[in-house]
């Protein structure tokens, strides 16, 4: 039976190049990187070469890269460090951040929290942000680079310029954009950005936090002196090697990858408009304002809407209702609620990768048409 995977914002299949790099390390480099003998030194070299190479991909110094267990840990560390170590007394963010950010902010009940207004497409109110920053309170601005459910892209330069102007710290969750766009931390002007390898064909359980080297943050995990004393614990060497290989693959031809996936997304948008009367989209769809790997579709109402994701799965198409939604209903999505979307209508997120083909899109389209148009439309 044909199976098509269109849930790449949740996770991506591992690239053969990544599996090879990890297998080599697992086979040949079991040493503890903290050991001083040759086994240890070889393992340590793998980590430090990866740190240098990854830093070079994003124009960061090696010392600015802290390996973590993934995006969630990196987001937690950025926010916790800003509050505990940098004296932040206010966090400005939105209600549609990933839970790795939203719930971490919630945990700092003592810190003032301001949620920016959002437009229907999920863009924050930049004017309101500037008005707020003018009072000069010690502030962390935490705004995600691209929303993982609706794909709307932040004007990251505009936010970093505001943060510089008013001396606020800036954290951006770049988990969905790292490996998908060229990144230059000097140009971006963020204090913290985050990465998760499994979003771009690397392994799960590894990522990193970039911390601007001018900032003095305390350890996130107490223990040994790994990660320059910022995160104790014997390192995940094979994971780091896999992340490194995934970064190399991603940045080998990032424009080519973007072109391939963007064309598929625009094709799917055009075909849905043609074949599914009443279809709509959540978030931005303009290629310049929208993450090219994510398409959030608002379908017309139909009888079996609560079963839609399940039926798509039976038909061989893996897609999702958004990160918080597993049941096939939309009530779980804080993002759709946050942009005041009509959650009575069924919605589905299709997300693409370098391995997605036009045949995959045509197959998924045929199943949407079968379930929504041919069998079920009631409204
Ligand atoms: N932030 C965003 C925007 C995400 O999409 C995800 C993953 O779904 C995360 C953070 C968490 O990353 P990880 O799965 O590596 O913990």
């Amino acid at each position: 039976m044909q199976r098509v995977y269109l849930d790449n914002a949740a996770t991506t299949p591992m690239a053969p190049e990544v599996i090879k790099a990890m297998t080599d390390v697992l086979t040949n480099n079991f040493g503890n990187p903290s050991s001083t003998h040759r086994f240890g030194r070889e393992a340590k070299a793998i980590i430090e070469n990866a740190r240098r190479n990854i830093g070079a991909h994003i124009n960061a110094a090696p010392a600015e890269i802290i390996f973590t267990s993934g995006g969630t840990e990196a987001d937690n560390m950025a926010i916790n460090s800003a509050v505990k170590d940098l004296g932040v007394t206010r966090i400005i963010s939105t209600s549609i951040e990933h839970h790795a950010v939203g719930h971490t902010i919630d945990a700092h009940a003592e810190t003032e929290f301001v949620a920016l207004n959002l437009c229907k497409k999920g863009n924050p109110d930049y004017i309101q942000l500037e008005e707020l920053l003018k009072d000069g309170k010690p502030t962390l601005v935490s705004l995600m680079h691209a929303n993982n459910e609706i794909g709307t892209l932040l004007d990251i330069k505009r936010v970093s310029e505001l943060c510089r102007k008013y001396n606020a710290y800036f954290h951006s969750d770049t988990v969905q954009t790292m490996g998908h766009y060229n990144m230059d931390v000097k140009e971006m002007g963020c204090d913290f950005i985050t990465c998760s390898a499994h979003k771009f064909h690397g392994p799960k359980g590894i990522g990193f936090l970039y911390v601007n080297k001018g900032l003095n943050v305390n350890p996130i995990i107490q223990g040994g002196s790994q990660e320059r004393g910022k995160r104790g614990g014997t390192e995940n060497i094979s994971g780091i090697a896999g992340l490194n290989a995934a970064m190399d693959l991603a940045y080998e031809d990032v424009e080519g990858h973007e072109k391939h996936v963007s064309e598929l997304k625009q094709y799917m948008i055009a075909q849905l408009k043609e074949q599914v009367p009443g279809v709509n989209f959540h978030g931005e769809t303009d290629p310049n304002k929208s993450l090219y790997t994510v398409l959030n579709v608002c379908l017309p109402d139909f009888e079996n809407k609560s079963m839609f994701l399940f039926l798509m799965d039976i038909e061989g198409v893996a897609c999702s209702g958004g990160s918080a939604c597993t049941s096939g209903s939309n009530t779980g999505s804080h993002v759709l609620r946050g942009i005041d979307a009509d959650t009575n209508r069924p919605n589905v997120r299709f997300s693409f990768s370098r391995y997605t083909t036009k045949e995959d899109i045509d197959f998924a389209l045929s199943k949407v048409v079968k379930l929504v148009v041919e069998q079920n439309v009631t409204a």
Side-chain angles (χ1 to χ4, degrees), residues 22-306:
M22 293 180 73
T23 310
D24 284 352
V25 168
L26 286 166
T27 311
N28 301 314
N29 303 98
F30 70 90
N32 186 324
S34 299
S35 299
T36 52
H37 48 63
R38 184 183 294 265
F39 291 87
R41 291 199 310 274
E42 282 171 3
K44 181 88 176 163
I46 289 167
I47 295 172
E48 294 316 317
N49 286 338
R51 198 189 308 280
R52 252 194 313 281
N53 187 50
I54 290 167
H57 278 304
I58 64 169
N59 197 20
E64 294 176 312
I65 306 287
I66 301 173
F67 291 119
T68 64
S69 66
T72 299
E73 183 185 319
D75 283 333
N76 271 253
M77 184 178 182
I79 293 162
N80 293 337
S81 300
V83 174
K84 291 186 186 142
D85 307 329
L86 304 177
V88 157
T89 59
R90 175 178 61 184
I91 301 174
I92 301 176
S93 186
T94 73
S95 60
I96 61 170
E97 302 300 307
H98 191 274
H99 287 319
V101 169
H103 289 173
T104 309
I105 294 174
D106 291 346
H108 290 286
E110 76 290 355
T111 307
E112 182 188 348
F113 171 62
V114 183
L116 292 175
N117 299 327
L118 296 164
C119 76
K120 286 285 273 184
K121 292 187 179 228
N123 296 293
D125 185 336
Y126 296 101
I127 312 277
Q128 182 195 15
L129 175 62
E130 176 153 23
E131 284 308 312
L132 285 162
L133 289 175
K134 278 180 182 166
D135 66 14
K137 267 191 202 170
T139 296
L140 173 72
V141 174
S142 179
L143 294 171
M144 67 202 307
H145 192 192
N147 188 279
N148 52 304
E149 290 194 36
I150 57 173
T152 298
L153 277 174
L154 184 74
D155 187 343
I156 204 162
K157 204 78 214 304
R158 184 168 175 184
V159 176
S160 69
E161 276 163 14
L162 287 176
C163 290
R164 287 290 155 269
K165 184 168 171 192
Y166 297 105
N167 281 321
Y169 297 107
F170 180 24
H171 160 239
S172 187
D173 176 338
T174 49
V175 164
Q176 290 290 344
T177 51
M178 182 73 68
H180 298 287
Y181 292 98
N182 277 316
M183 300 241 167
D184 179 327
V185 292
K186 308 271 178 322
E187 251 177 45
M188 290 162 78
C190 304
D191 294 299
F192 303 95
I193 64 172
T194 54
C195 168
S196 174
H198 72 99
K199 306 294 186 181
F200 53 99
H201 309 291
K204 292 162 188 61
I206 187 76
F208 68 82
L209 172 69
Y210 157 84
V211 185
N212 181 335
K213 67 171 170 297
L215 302 180
N216 199 5
V217 297
N218 288 321
I220 175 186
I221 296 178
Q222 305 292 340
S225 60
Q226 292 91 349
E227 296 303 298
R228 293 172 169 77
K230 300 291 187 256
R231 182 180 189 265
T234 303
E235 300 90 333
N236 175 1
I237 313 167
S238 59
I240 291 170
L243 163 63
N244 191 34
M247 287 288 278
D248 278 349
L249 181 68
Y251 287 109
E252 205 175 76
D253 179 20
V254 72
E255 281 94 3
H257 163 57
E258 174 170 3
K259 184 169 180 299
H260 167 70
V261 179
S262 288
E263 282 171 6
L264 292 177
K265 175 172 163 174
Q266 293 309 318
Y267 172 72
M268 192 168 200
I269 292 173
Q271 289 299 311
L272 283 166
K273 282 184 182 162
E274 206 175 298
Q275 300 186 46
V276 183
V279 76
N280 236 313
F281 303 96
H282 292 306
E284 295 281 2
T285 48
D286 175 339
N288 296 318
K289 296 180 180 168
S290 164
L291 175 62
Y292 57 88
T293 51
V294 167
L295 177 62
N296 195 309
V297 184
C298 178
L299 294 165
D301 218 350
F302 64 100
E303 206 176 315
N304 277 340
K305 67 179 177 187
S306 62

